[in-house]
Amino acid sequence: MNATTATYIESNKQRYLDELFDLLRIPSVSADSNFKDDVRRAAEFVRDKLSAGGLDNAQLHETPGHPIVYAEKLIDPGLPTVLVYGHYDVQPADPYDLWHTPPFEPTIRNERIYARGACDDKGQFYMHIKAIEAMLATNSLPCNVKVMIEGEEEVGSDHLGLFVAENRDMLRADVILISDTSIIANDVPSIESGLRGLSYVEVEVVGPNRDLHSGVYGGGVDNPVNVLCQMIASLKDADGRITIPGFYDKIADLSPDERAELAKAPFDLTEYKRDLGIREVFGEAGYSTNERTSIRPTLDVNGIWGGYIGEGAKTVLPSKASAKISMRLVPHQTPDEITALFKNHFESIAPQSVQVTVRPHHGGLPYVTPTDSVEFEAASRAMEESWGTKPIPTRGGGSIPIVALFEQELGIKSILMGFGLDIDALHSPNESYGLFNFYKGIETIPLFFKHYAELRG
Ligand code: BES
Ligand code: MN
Ligand code: MN
């Protein structure tokens, strides 16, 4: 990177962190309407910082949900254009009592920033705003840049699709750059070349028309909680395979070479188990833990409820039971198809004694990007220059549903140049983000712009 840009970043480090702290203090929880005004405040904060950083047309774009923030700096129509995407909304911080310090009062411990959104995604997209500021302040921005930060990623990006479709011209770009994923370790840089898709459903099992005395009726009337548990248990066999007919039909298996390539990523199973406090891992037979969490699909209960869960014992045979179930998808599974297969199968295995309903929630398509493209090479060179080691291509297990939609609607590939770590505890209590990672990102992003402009040049 340009030496003056590096110096500019170095001398503004503390201010960058202070600003991130201000952003982290805004509880922009998109899922909970109690935080609606805070979500807007976060959008306004981002808009103001984009503007202060030297970008033009920084504005909120209203949607039926939370606003989208957009700004741009178009320096020369002959240069390539990078569209930066991120999200300023965060997951709910519950359960609050498990946080060592309050989720919206950022604090630093052990060189890490603790706060909800520290890594996902405030700490990560804010690196871009500061890197762009540094390039603009030192006259070294080598590409046009557009920045779009949304406020509904954590609730399925429901309104972003329409916004993108309606603003194709404004969003026209050559590549989308996103920091909302992870690297293997601070000394093992990596770039995710794929994300899993998602199908998310809620199921309800209804038995008798009211809660019953479990002594008077128990034994004679089917119990919806028992039934739901049996139905869920039957969705996976002893080999960890999902039993829904047709579930695996469309999946394109990786070649032995591709699997061997991915297996090169360092992974310590003992440390993995120790970190999670488990004695054994579990998953689909015939696949490694890394494969199970990236190139293979999943089915997991995310929440389950029914009957009496208060203090003490209440003898009741509940009338209803429910569960939220997610399925992570891999190429070429689609959420519509998988949700339909799930619904048909789940209804078909319900005993006559209950009624079952399956309601789909949000979904998203999986995504893979070739690792031999100019844009992937630019990210790879940027990381190699800032780390001194070449990043390893990996496949991610999480989902950013809008990425596949960007490709469909805009025809643009996304580069997932994330800087998080698995230990950042995204969505969990005590989410954190390393100071190393925050600053490494700010230093690496200008290198992406530089290498991308050179390679495109
Ligand atoms: N940033 C994450 C996705 C992610 C995390 C990808 C780590 C790769 C590594 C994103 O904010 C997220 O949480 N996505 C949701 C999907 C959404 C529809 C709620 C997810 O993966 O559960
Ligand atoms: Mn995220
Ligand atoms: Mn998230």
mmCIF file of all heavy atoms in Angstrom, residues 176-212:
data_model
loop_
_atom_site.group_PDB
_atom_site.id
_atom_site.type_symbol
_atom_site.label_atom_id
_atom_site.label_comp_id
_atom_site.label_asym_id
_atom_site.label_seq_id
_atom_site.Cartn_x
_atom_site.Cartn_y
_atom_site.Cartn_z
ATOM 1 N N ILE A 176 -18.216 -7.280 -6.022
ATOM 2 C CA ILE A 176 -18.752 -6.929 -4.703
ATOM 3 C C ILE A 176 -17.764 -7.438 -3.654
ATOM 4 O O ILE A 176 -17.307 -8.581 -3.740
ATOM 5 C CB ILE A 176 -20.145 -7.551 -4.494
ATOM 6 C CG1 ILE A 176 -21.116 -6.964 -5.539
ATOM 7 C CG2 ILE A 176 -20.666 -7.293 -3.077
ATOM 8 C CD1 ILE A 176 -22.475 -7.610 -5.573
ATOM 9 N N LEU A 177 -17.422 -6.574 -2.737
ATOM 10 C CA LEU A 177 -16.447 -6.932 -1.707
ATOM 11 C C LEU A 177 -17.159 -6.940 -0.357
ATOM 12 O O LEU A 177 -17.798 -5.947 0.024
ATOM 13 C CB LEU A 177 -15.298 -5.913 -1.713
ATOM 14 C CG LEU A 177 -14.154 -6.179 -0.738
ATOM 15 C CD1 LEU A 177 -13.467 -7.510 -1.031
ATOM 16 C CD2 LEU A 177 -13.132 -5.043 -0.798
ATOM 17 N N ILE A 178 -17.052 -8.064 0.347
ATOM 18 C CA ILE A 178 -17.786 -8.239 1.603
ATOM 19 C C ILE A 178 -16.846 -8.748 2.687
ATOM 20 O O ILE A 178 -16.125 -9.727 2.478
ATOM 21 C CB ILE A 178 -18.928 -9.272 1.426
ATOM 22 C CG1 ILE A 178 -19.862 -8.848 0.280
ATOM 23 C CG2 ILE A 178 -19.708 -9.456 2.731
ATOM 24 C CD1 ILE A 178 -20.943 -9.886 -0.040
ATOM 25 N N SER A 179 -16.870 -8.109 3.843
ATOM 26 C CA SER A 179 -16.173 -8.658 5.007
ATOM 27 C C SER A 179 -17.233 -9.038 6.035
ATOM 28 O O SER A 179 -17.702 -8.193 6.813
ATOM 29 C CB SER A 179 -15.195 -7.633 5.585
ATOM 30 O OG SER A 179 -14.171 -7.359 4.661
ATOM 31 N N ASP A 180 -17.649 -10.283 6.016
ATOM 32 C CA ASP A 180 -18.690 -10.754 6.946
ATOM 33 C C ASP A 180 -18.507 -12.249 7.173
ATOM 34 O O ASP A 180 -19.453 -12.971 7.447
ATOM 35 C CB ASP A 180 -20.076 -10.448 6.342
ATOM 36 C CG ASP A 180 -21.199 -10.575 7.369
ATOM 37 O OD1 ASP A 180 -20.919 -10.480 8.582
ATOM 38 O OD2 ASP A 180 -22.354 -10.781 6.953
ATOM 39 N N THR A 181 -17.245 -12.709 7.002
ATOM 40 C CA THR A 181 -16.917 -14.131 7.164
ATOM 41 C C THR A 181 -15.621 -14.220 7.979
ATOM 42 O O THR A 181 -15.168 -13.213 8.514
ATOM 43 C CB THR A 181 -16.716 -14.792 5.777
ATOM 44 O OG1 THR A 181 -15.772 -14.008 5.031
ATOM 45 C CG2 THR A 181 -18.019 -14.869 4.994
ATOM 46 N N SER A 182 -15.039 -15.406 8.024
ATOM 47 C CA SER A 182 -13.902 -15.631 8.923
ATOM 48 C C SER A 182 -12.660 -16.126 8.200
ATOM 49 O O SER A 182 -12.741 -16.645 7.096
ATOM 50 C CB SER A 182 -14.275 -16.662 9.973
ATOM 51 O OG SER A 182 -15.434 -16.254 10.638
ATOM 52 N N ILE A 183 -11.541 -16.006 8.903
ATOM 53 C CA ILE A 183 -10.294 -16.636 8.471
ATOM 54 C C ILE A 183 -10.031 -17.818 9.407
ATOM 55 O O ILE A 183 -10.691 -17.945 10.450
ATOM 56 C CB ILE A 183 -9.108 -15.640 8.513
ATOM 57 C CG1 ILE A 183 -9.001 -14.957 9.893
ATOM 58 C CG2 ILE A 183 -9.259 -14.599 7.419
ATOM 59 C CD1 ILE A 183 -7.762 -14.094 10.078
ATOM 60 N N ILE A 184 -9.084 -18.667 9.048
ATOM 61 C CA ILE A 184 -8.827 -19.866 9.855
ATOM 62 C C ILE A 184 -8.214 -19.496 11.203
ATOM 63 O O ILE A 184 -8.649 -19.964 12.253
ATOM 64 C CB ILE A 184 -7.929 -20.863 9.092
ATOM 65 C CG1 ILE A 184 -8.681 -21.377 7.848
ATOM 66 C CG2 ILE A 184 -7.514 -22.027 9.992
ATOM 67 C CD1 ILE A 184 -7.850 -22.225 6.917
ATOM 68 N N ALA A 185 -7.189 -18.666 11.189
ATOM 69 C CA ALA A 185 -6.529 -18.215 12.425
ATOM 70 C C ALA A 185 -5.777 -16.942 12.102
ATOM 71 O O ALA A 185 -5.551 -16.638 10.929
ATOM 72 C CB ALA A 185 -5.567 -19.292 12.941
ATOM 73 N N ASN A 186 -5.366 -16.218 13.131
ATOM 74 C CA ASN A 186 -4.690 -14.950 12.868
ATOM 75 C C ASN A 186 -3.372 -15.117 12.124
ATOM 76 O O ASN A 186 -2.909 -14.187 11.480
ATOM 77 C CB ASN A 186 -4.484 -14.170 14.172
ATOM 78 C CG ASN A 186 -5.744 -13.414 14.566
ATOM 79 O OD1 ASN A 186 -6.702 -13.344 13.779
ATOM 80 N ND2 ASN A 186 -5.773 -12.856 15.760
ATOM 81 N N ASP A 187 -2.782 -16.316 12.204
ATOM 82 C CA ASP A 187 -1.566 -16.548 11.416
ATOM 83 C C ASP A 187 -1.833 -17.479 10.230
ATOM 84 O O ASP A 187 -0.905 -17.932 9.580
ATOM 85 C CB ASP A 187 -0.430 -17.085 12.301
ATOM 86 C CG ASP A 187 -0.831 -18.347 13.045
ATOM 87 O OD1 ASP A 187 -2.028 -18.733 12.967
ATOM 88 O OD2 ASP A 187 0.032 -18.960 13.698
ATOM 89 N N VAL A 188 -3.102 -17.773 9.975
ATOM 90 C CA VAL A 188 -3.467 -18.589 8.808
ATOM 91 C C VAL A 188 -4.596 -17.892 8.040
ATOM 92 O O VAL A 188 -5.775 -18.213 8.211
ATOM 93 C CB VAL A 188 -3.925 -20.017 9.214
ATOM 94 C CG1 VAL A 188 -4.084 -20.895 7.981
ATOM 95 C CG2 VAL A 188 -2.963 -20.662 10.201
ATOM 96 N N PRO A 189 -4.243 -16.923 7.192
ATOM 97 C CA PRO A 189 -5.295 -16.216 6.457
ATOM 98 C C PRO A 189 -5.979 -17.150 5.462
ATOM 99 O O PRO A 189 -5.359 -18.094 4.977
ATOM 100 C CB PRO A 189 -4.533 -15.102 5.734
ATOM 101 C CG PRO A 189 -3.120 -15.592 5.619
ATOM 102 C CD PRO A 189 -2.893 -16.438 6.845
ATOM 103 N N SER A 190 -7.261 -16.898 5.219
ATOM 104 C CA SER A 190 -8.014 -17.725 4.274
ATOM 105 C C SER A 190 -9.131 -16.879 3.677
ATOM 106 O O SER A 190 -9.476 -15.826 4.225
ATOM 107 C CB SER A 190 -8.587 -18.943 4.999
ATOM 108 O OG SER A 190 -9.412 -18.526 6.069
ATOM 109 N N ILE A 191 -9.648 -17.330 2.568
ATOM 110 C CA ILE A 191 -10.766 -16.634 1.922
ATOM 111 C C ILE A 191 -11.855 -17.649 1.624
ATOM 112 O O ILE A 191 -11.588 -18.687 1.013
ATOM 113 C CB ILE A 191 -10.348 -15.981 0.583
ATOM 114 C CG1 ILE A 191 -9.092 -15.106 0.768
ATOM 115 C CG2 ILE A 191 -11.498 -15.153 0.007
ATOM 116 C CD1 ILE A 191 -8.576 -14.531 -0.543
ATOM 117 N N GLU A 192 -13.070 -17.370 2.054
ATOM 118 C CA GLU A 192 -14.169 -18.285 1.782
ATOM 119 C C GLU A 192 -14.596 -18.147 0.323
ATOM 120 O O GLU A 192 -14.873 -17.049 -0.147
ATOM 121 C CB GLU A 192 -15.344 -18.006 2.730
ATOM 122 C CG GLU A 192 -14.975 -18.395 4.152
ATOM 123 C CD GLU A 192 -16.142 -18.358 5.145
ATOM 124 O OE1 GLU A 192 -17.295 -18.172 4.712
ATOM 125 O OE2 GLU A 192 -15.877 -18.512 6.344
ATOM 126 N N SER A 193 -14.629 -19.290 -0.356
ATOM 127 C CA SER A 193 -15.040 -19.257 -1.758
ATOM 128 C C SER A 193 -16.481 -19.743 -1.902
ATOM 129 O O SER A 193 -16.961 -19.926 -3.000
ATOM 130 C CB SER A 193 -14.110 -20.126 -2.596
ATOM 131 O OG SER A 193 -14.269 -21.481 -2.206
ATOM 132 N N GLY A 194 -17.136 -19.964 -0.776
ATOM 133 C CA GLY A 194 -18.526 -20.394 -0.852
ATOM 134 C C GLY A 194 -19.237 -20.210 0.466
ATOM 135 O O GLY A 194 -18.603 -20.076 1.516
ATOM 136 N N LEU A 195 -20.558 -20.149 0.367
ATOM 137 C CA LEU A 195 -21.423 -20.015 1.548
ATOM 138 C C LEU A 195 -22.540 -21.028 1.389
ATOM 139 O O LEU A 195 -22.912 -21.387 0.266
ATOM 140 C CB LEU A 195 -22.057 -18.617 1.570
ATOM 141 C CG LEU A 195 -21.143 -17.428 1.789
ATOM 142 C CD1 LEU A 195 -21.846 -16.154 1.339
ATOM 143 C CD2 LEU A 195 -20.752 -17.328 3.261
ATOM 144 N N ARG A 196 -23.089 -21.468 2.521
ATOM 145 C CA ARG A 196 -24.226 -22.372 2.389
ATOM 146 C C ARG A 196 -25.524 -21.573 2.262
ATOM 147 O O ARG A 196 -25.607 -20.426 2.698
ATOM 148 C CB ARG A 196 -24.288 -23.316 3.593
ATOM 149 C CG ARG A 196 -23.181 -24.354 3.505
ATOM 150 C CD ARG A 196 -23.382 -25.512 4.438
ATOM 151 N NE ARG A 196 -23.065 -25.206 5.822
ATOM 152 C CZ ARG A 196 -22.901 -26.122 6.768
ATOM 153 N NH1 ARG A 196 -23.068 -27.403 6.472
ATOM 154 N NH2 ARG A 196 -22.606 -25.787 8.007
ATOM 155 N N GLY A 197 -26.504 -22.195 1.660
ATOM 156 C CA GLY A 197 -27.835 -21.594 1.588
ATOM 157 C C GLY A 197 -28.622 -21.969 2.823
ATOM 158 O O GLY A 197 -28.103 -22.611 3.751
ATOM 159 N N LEU A 198 -29.877 -21.579 2.848
ATOM 160 C CA LEU A 198 -30.668 -21.801 4.056
ATOM 161 C C LEU A 198 -32.142 -22.011 3.719
ATOM 162 O O LEU A 198 -32.700 -21.324 2.854
ATOM 163 C CB LEU A 198 -30.528 -20.568 4.961
ATOM 164 C CG LEU A 198 -31.230 -20.589 6.305
ATOM 165 C CD1 LEU A 198 -30.609 -21.637 7.227
ATOM 166 C CD2 LEU A 198 -31.149 -19.218 6.974
ATOM 167 N N SER A 199 -32.722 -22.992 4.388
ATOM 168 C CA SER A 199 -34.172 -23.162 4.365
ATOM 169 C C SER A 199 -34.576 -23.224 5.835
ATOM 170 O O SER A 199 -33.993 -23.991 6.602
ATOM 171 C CB SER A 199 -34.511 -24.451 3.629
ATOM 172 O OG SER A 199 -35.801 -24.864 3.962
ATOM 173 N N TYR A 200 -35.504 -22.377 6.238
ATOM 174 C CA TYR A 200 -35.844 -22.283 7.664
ATOM 175 C C TYR A 200 -37.350 -22.425 7.810
ATOM 176 O O TYR A 200 -38.115 -21.700 7.176
ATOM 177 C CB TYR A 200 -35.394 -20.914 8.190
ATOM 178 C CG TYR A 200 -35.236 -20.854 9.708
ATOM 179 C CD1 TYR A 200 -33.975 -20.727 10.286
ATOM 180 C CD2 TYR A 200 -36.344 -20.921 10.559
ATOM 181 C CE1 TYR A 200 -33.822 -20.661 11.659
ATOM 182 C CE2 TYR A 200 -36.196 -20.862 11.930
ATOM 183 C CZ TYR A 200 -34.930 -20.726 12.483
ATOM 184 O OH TYR A 200 -34.785 -20.668 13.841
ATOM 185 N N VAL A 201 -37.772 -23.385 8.610
ATOM 186 C CA VAL A 201 -39.210 -23.639 8.767
ATOM 187 C C VAL A 201 -39.597 -23.684 10.239
ATOM 188 O O VAL A 201 -38.760 -23.936 11.117
ATOM 189 C CB VAL A 201 -39.626 -24.982 8.116
ATOM 190 C CG1 VAL A 201 -39.422 -24.959 6.613
ATOM 191 C CG2 VAL A 201 -38.876 -26.145 8.738
ATOM 192 N N GLU A 202 -40.854 -23.433 10.482
ATOM 193 C CA GLU A 202 -41.399 -23.594 11.827
ATOM 194 C C GLU A 202 -42.501 -24.649 11.736
ATOM 195 O O GLU A 202 -43.320 -24.603 10.827
ATOM 196 C CB GLU A 202 -41.967 -22.252 12.313
ATOM 197 C CG GLU A 202 -42.398 -22.299 13.752
ATOM 198 C CD GLU A 202 -42.554 -20.893 14.351
ATOM 199 O OE1 GLU A 202 -41.809 -19.968 13.950
ATOM 200 O OE2 GLU A 202 -43.433 -20.745 15.199
ATOM 201 N N VAL A 203 -42.478 -25.601 12.645
ATOM 202 C CA VAL A 203 -43.487 -26.664 12.603
ATOM 203 C C VAL A 203 -44.326 -26.627 13.876
ATOM 204 O O VAL A 203 -43.836 -26.258 14.950
ATOM 205 C CB VAL A 203 -42.838 -28.066 12.446
ATOM 206 C CG1 VAL A 203 -42.041 -28.140 11.153
ATOM 207 C CG2 VAL A 203 -41.946 -28.410 13.635
ATOM 208 N N GLU A 204 -45.583 -26.989 13.718
ATOM 209 C CA GLU A 204 -46.462 -27.063 14.889
ATOM 210 C C GLU A 204 -47.224 -28.385 14.843
ATOM 211 O O GLU A 204 -47.740 -28.772 13.798
ATOM 212 C CB GLU A 204 -47.447 -25.888 14.899
ATOM 213 C CG GLU A 204 -48.247 -25.830 16.199
ATOM 214 C CD GLU A 204 -49.279 -24.708 16.198
ATOM 215 O OE1 GLU A 204 -50.100 -24.658 15.258
ATOM 216 O OE2 GLU A 204 -49.278 -23.909 17.151
ATOM 217 N N VAL A 205 -47.263 -29.047 15.978
ATOM 218 C CA VAL A 205 -47.996 -30.307 16.112
ATOM 219 C C VAL A 205 -49.117 -30.073 17.122
ATOM 220 O O VAL A 205 -48.855 -29.646 18.252
ATOM 221 C CB VAL A 205 -47.062 -31.437 16.614
ATOM 222 C CG1 VAL A 205 -47.844 -32.723 16.879
ATOM 223 C CG2 VAL A 205 -45.947 -31.695 15.606
ATOM 224 N N VAL A 206 -50.356 -30.311 16.700
ATOM 225 C CA VAL A 206 -51.498 -30.065 17.578
ATOM 226 C C VAL A 206 -52.240 -31.373 17.828
ATOM 227 O O VAL A 206 -52.553 -32.105 16.884
ATOM 228 C CB VAL A 206 -52.462 -29.024 16.966
ATOM 229 C CG1 VAL A 206 -53.632 -28.757 17.903
ATOM 230 C CG2 VAL A 206 -51.717 -27.720 16.664
ATOM 231 N N GLY A 207 -52.486 -31.665 19.071
ATOM 232 C CA GLY A 207 -53.234 -32.872 19.437
ATOM 233 C C GLY A 207 -54.618 -32.503 19.945
ATOM 234 O O GLY A 207 -55.411 -31.923 19.212
ATOM 235 N N PRO A 208 -54.900 -32.793 21.216
ATOM 236 C CA PRO A 208 -56.220 -32.478 21.773
ATOM 237 C C PRO A 208 -56.493 -30.970 21.773
ATOM 238 O O PRO A 208 -55.572 -30.177 21.690
ATOM 239 C CB PRO A 208 -56.139 -33.020 23.198
ATOM 240 C CG PRO A 208 -54.684 -33.126 23.510
ATOM 241 C CD PRO A 208 -54.006 -33.418 22.216
ATOM 242 N N ASN A 209 -57.789 -30.610 21.849
ATOM 243 C CA ASN A 209 -58.157 -29.197 21.705
ATOM 244 C C ASN A 209 -57.836 -28.346 22.932
ATOM 245 O O ASN A 209 -58.076 -27.151 22.951
ATOM 246 C CB ASN A 209 -59.638 -29.072 21.334
ATOM 247 C CG ASN A 209 -60.545 -29.719 22.390
ATOM 248 O OD1 ASN A 209 -60.077 -30.092 23.479
ATOM 249 N ND2 ASN A 209 -61.818 -29.860 22.058
ATOM 250 N N ARG A 210 -57.286 -28.952 24.000
ATOM 251 C CA ARG A 210 -56.871 -28.170 25.169
ATOM 252 C C ARG A 210 -55.818 -28.973 25.933
ATOM 253 O O ARG A 210 -55.679 -30.185 25.730
ATOM 254 C CB ARG A 210 -58.070 -27.878 26.064
ATOM 255 C CG ARG A 210 -58.767 -29.138 26.559
ATOM 256 C CD ARG A 210 -60.045 -28.822 27.333
ATOM 257 N NE ARG A 210 -60.600 -30.016 27.954
ATOM 258 C CZ ARG A 210 -61.378 -30.889 27.327
ATOM 259 N NH1 ARG A 210 -61.677 -30.721 26.038
ATOM 260 N NH2 ARG A 210 -61.847 -31.939 27.967
ATOM 261 N N ASP A 211 -55.065 -28.287 26.794
ATOM 262 C CA ASP A 211 -54.137 -28.996 27.675
ATOM 263 C C ASP A 211 -54.955 -29.925 28.565
ATOM 264 O O ASP A 211 -56.011 -29.523 29.072
ATOM 265 C CB ASP A 211 -53.373 -28.001 28.561
ATOM 266 C CG ASP A 211 -52.272 -27.271 27.795
ATOM 267 O OD1 ASP A 211 -52.118 -27.510 26.569
ATOM 268 O OD2 ASP A 211 -51.572 -26.454 28.416
ATOM 269 N N LEU A 212 -54.458 -31.142 28.786
ATOM 270 C CA LEU A 212 -55.234 -32.131 29.552
ATOM 271 C C LEU A 212 -54.497 -32.542 30.829
ATOM 272 O O LEU A 212 -53.275 -32.424 30.924
ATOM 273 C CB LEU A 212 -55.445 -33.391 28.696
ATOM 274 C CG LEU A 212 -56.132 -33.206 27.342
ATOM 275 C CD1 LEU A 212 -56.132 -34.517 26.571
ATOM 276 C CD2 LEU A 212 -57.570 -32.694 27.542
#
